[in-house]
Amino acid sequence: MSSYSKRDYKHLNAACGYAQLGLYQDAKVELDQLSDDCTDEEDIMSLSLWVHQELNEWETSLKLAEALSQRNPDEPNWFIAWAYSARRFLSIYKAEEILERAMEQHPKHAMIQFNLGCYASILGNQKKASKLIKDAIKLDASYEKLAREDPDLEGLRKSDEFLNGS
């Protein structure tokens, strides 16, 4: 974290506090008060991404998450946030494209596998969905419970492919 002016630190502190309380509009107001020279900091971009996602401001979320994933491609969560925003602002196809690229870099990240499985299920490819969900569960067993409840996997659960062979 770089050193911020006293004024910026005050607004950043307030933005964090508001966000932690779920007062995202107030957090956004505080973030908007930051000087331009600090809004490019990763920690501030991360906070801003969280706030904009909570406010369902998908276009801004999309831009922030894409910038964060390009700045720090070793962090898989930026790709997940980028896909999450792309699904809501652009299309599920764009979200799938983002995560397929992310999976090449992060093949052992369970959430990427799981989200791709959800997308495949929504798009009607239950065989692909089943494989991806099983791969996610192999990486992190906690995803099995989520697979049984996630509404995106309703089509998979109704198919003969649901956790077939596990």
Side-chain angles (χ1 to χ4, degrees), residues 66-121:
E66 181 178 12
L68 284 162
S69 66
Q70 290 174 353
R71 176 181 286 190
N72 187 358
D74 292 335
E75 176 51 63
N77 290 315
W78 297 142
F79 290 95
I80 293 165
W82 184 15
Y84 186 79
S85 297
R87 179 178 174 184
R88 281 141 189 89
F89 184 68
L90 299 172
S91 72
I92 195 168
Y93 300 103
K94 183 62 178 172
E96 182 180 47
E97 178 186 313
I98 292 165
L99 284 189
E100 283 175 349
R101 197 169 11 159
M103 191 166 71
E104 292 172 12
Q105 277 187 268
H106 305 283
K108 303 262 187 235
H109 197 277
M111 186 177 283
I112 291 173
Q113 303 271 346
F114 187 85
N115 286 351
L116 280 169
C118 289
Y119 299 164
S121 180

Side-chain angles (χ1 to χ4, degrees), residues 123-140:
L123 295 171
N125 189 341
Q126 304 313 331
K127 189 170 190 152
K128 180 179 177 182
S130 180
K131 181 194 179 322
L132 287 160
I133 296 302
K134 284 191 281 186
D135 289 349
I137 293 168
K138 284 179 192 170
L139 293 168
D140 183 340

